[in-house]
Amino acid sequence: MFCRNCASELSEKAEVCMSCGLRPLSESKYCQECGAETSEKQEICVKCGCRVHKAAATGFNIDSNEIIYPSNPPKSPATATLISCFVPGVGQVYLGQTAKGLVCLAATFALSTFTAGIGYFPIWIAMMVDANLIGKKLERGQSVRQWEFF
Ligand SMILES: [Zn+2]
Ligand SMILES: [Zn+2]
């Protein structure tokens, strides 16, 4: 694998590039397969034909395979849990799971309306536990998927 920021050759398992200190797949300047120069909008490397690894986009994204990388410093699982305690799903948005958080928020309100509030409590507790566990994964340096639960 090549670093997408500085084109240094790295081990497949390298979390951080030893030359530039960035996550090897966080930029879009070089192909991760052959090290050829690529542009930000390019999807396929024109030198080796491989699909270039997409850097995680910021903002709202409904791509379910989007990977959320741990931020540095990591976001606090306790804060995420607390936010989801007040508003279910928003703790997930805080952690970077924007699409999941917003859909869960909408689902929580829809379900509690249909069940006269009874349906709110299981989701409320689940969203708090979920925010905590997803937050802990990110805190440990693991990446999570946009729609990963618990
Ligand atoms: Zn690098
Ligand atoms: Zn290439």
Side-chain angles (χ1 to χ4, degrees):
M1 174 170 81
F2 291 86
C3 172
R4 296 216 64 206
N5 181 55
C6 71
S8 310
E9 197 162 3
L10 302 165
S11 146
E12 288 298 323
K13 294 195 178 97
E15 289 269 334
V16 171
C17 170
M18 304 303 279
S19 303
C20 65
L22 295 182
R23 290 184 178 276
L25 301 175
S26 65
E27 285 293 330
S28 52
K29 292 178 202 156
Y30 300 97
C31 168
Q32 79 280 4
E33 297 298 332
C34 69
E37 278 189 53
T38 54
S39 75
E40 202 172 320
K41 293 207 171 71
Q42 213 168 321
E43 290 204 8
I44 304 282
C45 169
V46 292
K47 193 172 162 214
C48 68
C50 290
R51 183 168 286 275
V52 294
H53 190 281
K54 275 254 172 276
T58 48
F60 190 74
N61 194 329
I62 54 161
D63 177 4
S64 58
N65 286 319
E66 184 199 348
I67 308 277
I68 293 148
Y69 293 101
S71 54
N72 191 22
K75 287 179 177 159
S76 155
T79 307
T81 312
L82 194 69
I83 300 172
S84 269
C85 173
F86 288 110
V87 192
V90 180
Q92 281 76 358
V93 175
Y94 162 75
L95 292 171
Q97 293 184 310
T98 314
K100 178 187 142 190
L102 293 177
V103 169
C104 289
L105 175 64
T108 307
F109 279 104
L111 198 75
S112 48
T113 308
F114 286 125
T115 58
I118 300 160
Y120 180 82
F121 290 99
I123 301 189
W124 177 59
I125 290 161
M127 292 317 286
M128 271 196 285
V129 174
D130 178 67
N132 189 262
L133 294 176
I134 295 288
K136 282 192 172 147
K137 277 188 193 169
L138 290 167
E139 197 182 37
R140 283 198 299 268
Q142 290 179 354
S143 53
V144 295
R145 289 189 184 277
Q146 175 66 249
W147 285 93
E148 188 166 325
F149 283 86
F150 305 104

